[in-house]
Amino acid sequence: MSRPKSDYTPPTRSGVSPSTVALPSGPWATVLDFLSERIPAVSRADWAERIRQGEVLDLQGQPVPPDAPYRPQTKLYYWRALPFEHPVPFDETVVFQDDFLVIADKPHFLPVTPKGRYLQETLLVRLKRKLGIDTLVPMHRIDRETAGLVAFTIQPHTRHAYQALFRDKAVRKTYEAIAPWRADLSLPLVYRSRLAESERFMAMHEVEGEPNAETAIELIDRRGHWGHYRLLPVTGQKHQLRAHLNALGIPILHDQIYPELRPALPPDMAPDFRHPLQLLARTLAFTDPVTGQERVFESPRRLSLDIIDTRVD
């Protein structure tokens, strides 16, 4: 006999949306047995404590008792938690907000969404706590190391229309970067290549085949060995701007992945915030699919050649 469905929607807690886990048919005697085996990133003792504190709910939103028997073909809700996070000592700002959109300006080092060792210290969770909007969903992503504009939708019924703007390449994006200057590189230019995941952790690399990444590159200013560049990506491949500038022999200043991956710090060591990647998501522009208005947003942040030693050796 099928179990009745529930319209219960768990609330967010401290800006964190609940995770849902489906219970398939299987040999587990208790809910604790199942969670301990299927989600081993959390120890059995920690799962037992979470259940004891009422932090695991059934399909009707009721806390699961410590000795709850396993019942397949239903669902459980729980909230992800981390024992400790290193604070990111920089603040986000809200550039624009209406009934449908939030446009936020993200600092360097702050991830957009929870992943791995980042949960509370993410842009999405910070904004949910600050604005009290549980339905916030990002329209797109930028790297943790990159600063600048990120767009979020508010209303579930208009989410698809806004996210389709990025899928259909209908958003005009402008980035800026500080990177080496090459006298033999004729600018402006449009650079196209095919990017794919490499065997090197996190990195993308260029491969043979039809281009899937396109970036227009302009020089804004130059001092000594360094240039201030404007980047206009047509496509949105992972690490596209970082990979393209690296392929041109001008890797972005303070890039920890290109041209070489620098060793990651141990999880218990605080990040080094002194040298942010010099890449900024400066503007977003598009025709609003709901209101029909022309939207143009600009980050209040600035990159400057003044931050580096530009003397010629």
Side-chain angles (χ1 to χ4, degrees), residues 123-185:
L123 181 61
L124 176 60
V125 173
R126 282 188 179 187
L127 288 174
K128 283 184 174 182
R129 294 199 312 262
K130 178 184 293 185
L131 303 177
I133 303 174
D134 289 348
T135 55
L136 276 184
V137 172
M139 290 168 59
H140 62 121
R141 306 287 199 278
I142 63 176
D143 295 338
R144 180 178 70 87
E145 296 89 347
T146 304
L149 298 182
V150 183
F152 294 81
T153 65
I154 297 175
Q155 306 292 347
H157 69 280
T158 62
R159 186 173 299 150
H160 176 76
Y162 283 111
Q163 291 178 332
L165 293 172
F166 286 86
R167 184 191 64 229
D168 298 338
K169 302 181 178 64
V171 179
R172 302 176 299 281
K173 298 171 285 185
T174 301
Y175 287 71
E176 293 183 12
I178 303 295
W181 175 76
R182 280 181 50 190
D184 61 336
L185 190 63

Side-chain angles (χ1 to χ4, degrees), residues 12-18 79-92 107 109-130:
T12 61
R13 292 185 177 180
S14 299
V16 178
S17 297
W79 286 261
R80 186 168 172 245
L82 293 176
F84 174 77
E85 289 182 72
H86 291 287
V88 176
F90 310 107
D91 294 328
E92 71 287 347
F109 302 108
L110 188 71
V112 173
T113 56
K115 185 178 180 181
R117 68 176 74 174
Y118 300 99
L119 181 62
Q120 292 293 330
E121 291 299 296
T122 61
L123 181 61
L124 176 60
V125 173
R126 282 188 179 187
L127 288 174
K128 283 184 174 182
R129 294 199 312 262
K130 178 184 293 185

